[in-house]
Amino acid sequence: MSTLGNHPFVKMNGLGNRIVVVDMRQKPLAISADEARAAAGPDGAPFDQMMALYPAKTPGTDAFVRIYNTDGSEAGACGNGTRCIASLVAKETGKSKMTFETAAGLLDSWPNADGRFTVDMGVPKFAWNEVPLADEFQDTRAIALQIGPIDKPILHSPSVMSMGNPHAIFWVDDVNAYDLSRIGPMLENHPIFPERANISLAQVVSKEHLIVRTWERGAGLTLACGSAACAAAVSAARTRRTGRTVTVTLPGGDLVIEWREKDNHVLMTGPVAYEYEGRFDPKLFAASDAA
Ligand SMILES: N[C@H](CCC[C@H](N)C(=O)O)C(=O)O
């Protein structure tokens, strides 16, 4: 029997980033990549990320979370999804601060008076082997990577970092001037990124405002990617393009990102939207059952 057949789910979104939450805390069975892919299909609950809640491992945390992309691969962090699960757990427990554990570490989240949620995404990592990159680069604020003709590249010199998952940020004058659905997959799978990468275009509007579009590793074009907004904000501050607090406009709306001075933690604040609840049709998983 598949793990997800007939299992309940909650469909939510964070700025249009399609999030499905499955609660495995009572029956903590593993979800295979095949099952996650089937669940993301048109007859399932199409998602960019599925957040699976498991019993807490570290004392004091609310749940261990596994994050699946559309293609069945797993991610260490998902900012928009973390706001969604925080709002569900806040409703369930009445708590004013939650802590979730993922493969990438601990993430705190709390509601604001205006209904938005903040996630403490932790400390960004800049060393080449932490991103990770395949080759040693001393300075990751701009690495030698380009696509297009050698003497007239289409995109070049991205800032790279890890925000719990790998990100490359290309600085451009107009995020809409590029065919990201064509360029994105080439860069996501470029050999410089041994674990692939989330690929973003970022446009500096002012010292307090960025516009960002992202091709997500394992999920493709999305309306919003929280960790990419954080990576763009931190990279912008790190290269003196902006200050440490910025509004990031994504196709789905705005996030406020603060790269806190006192401890270098990155705080992301944005909305949560509940859509509907359902159960996965067991027929979706017939193939993975047979395997
Ligand atoms: N949408 C997510 C990020 C998913 C990252 C995923 N695509 C990966 O790194 O594999 C966010 O709001 O942060």
Side-chain angles (χ1 to χ4, degrees):
M1 253 306 271
S2 68
T3 301
L4 288 181
N6 220 23
H7 201 285
F9 65 81
V10 184
K11 177 78 195 296
M12 307 183 76
N13 75 77
L15 290 177
N17 189 188
R18 302 172 305 164
I19 305 293
V20 161
V21 183
V22 289
D23 186 353
M24 314 300 289
R25 285 175 297 179
Q26 300 307 321
K27 211 176 70 174
L29 296 173
I31 298 168
S32 68
D34 278 350
E35 271 193 283
R37 257 195 310 276
D43 296 327
F47 59 77
D48 301 318
Q49 274 80 40
M50 178 165 68
M51 313 289 288
L53 303 185
Y54 285 93
K57 290 188 179 169
T58 301
T61 60
D62 289 278
F64 187 86
V65 186
R66 291 178 69 170
I67 305 167
Y68 295 85
N69 289 309
T70 315
D71 72 353
S73 64
E74 287 190 55
C78 175
N80 292 324
T82 302
R83 293 200 312 281
C84 291
I85 58 174
S87 90
L88 290 182
V89 172
K91 203 149 81 185
E92 171 188 307
T93 61
K95 285 173 101 168
S96 55
K97 185 172 158 227
M98 279 75 44
T99 305
F100 299 103
E101 185 170 12
T102 74
L106 301 185
L107 300 168
D108 286 346
S109 183
W110 56 90
N112 295 265
D114 62 6
R116 290 182 305 165
F117 275 74
T118 298
V119 181
D120 180 341
M121 299 284 288
V123 176
K125 298 196 179 120
F126 304 121
W128 69 275
N129 52 347
E130 293 175 317
V131 175
L133 301 176
D135 296 330
E136 182 170 347
F137 281 93
Q138 287 310 325
D139 187 350
T140 52
R141 286 175 296 186
I143 65 163
L145 169 64
Q146 63 175 55
I147 55 161
I150 289 249
D151 52 349
K152 207 168 173 292
I154 302 171
L155 290 172
H156 65 92
S157 313
S159 303
V160 296
M161 55 172 280
S162 170
M163 193 68 253
N165 48 11
H167 286 274
I169 310 293
F170 289 88
W171 305 102
V172 298
D173 291 336
D174 176 2
V175 294
N176 293 312
Y178 299 84
D179 185 356
L180 193 51
S181 61
R182 197 176 59 81
I183 298 170
M186 293 194 282
L187 287 165
E188 174 195 3
N189 294 295
H190 192 285
I192 192 73
F193 302 118
E195 294 178 12
R196 304 189 286 162
N198 295 287
I199 306 298
S200 295
L201 304 176
Q203 175 183 340
V204 180
V205 181
S206 73
K207 287 278 181 195
E208 297 88 35
H209 187 197
L210 296 173
I211 302 175
V212 172
R213 280 175 73 211
T214 302
W215 172 269
E216 282 193 29
R217 172 176 75 161
L221 283 182
T222 57
L223 288 179
C225 177
S227 54
C230 294
V234 167
S235 298
R238 199 176 166 227
T239 54
R240 306 271 180 266
R241 287 175 163 94
T242 64
R244 291 175 73 108
T245 300
V246 292
T247 297
V248 180
T249 299
L250 307 161
D254 289 356
L255 292 172
V256 176
I257 312 294
E258 178 192 357
W259 186 18
R260 196 163 57 190
E261 197 98 40
K262 69 167 188 194
D263 58 4
N264 277 335
H265 280 226
V266 182
L267 305 184
M268 178 199 68
T269 302
V272 169
Y274 168 91
E275 293 181 19
Y276 61 91
E277 291 180 35
R279 280 180 187 270
F280 288 112
D281 182 347
K283 287 204 281 294
L284 288 171
F285 310 105
S288 33
D289 279 352

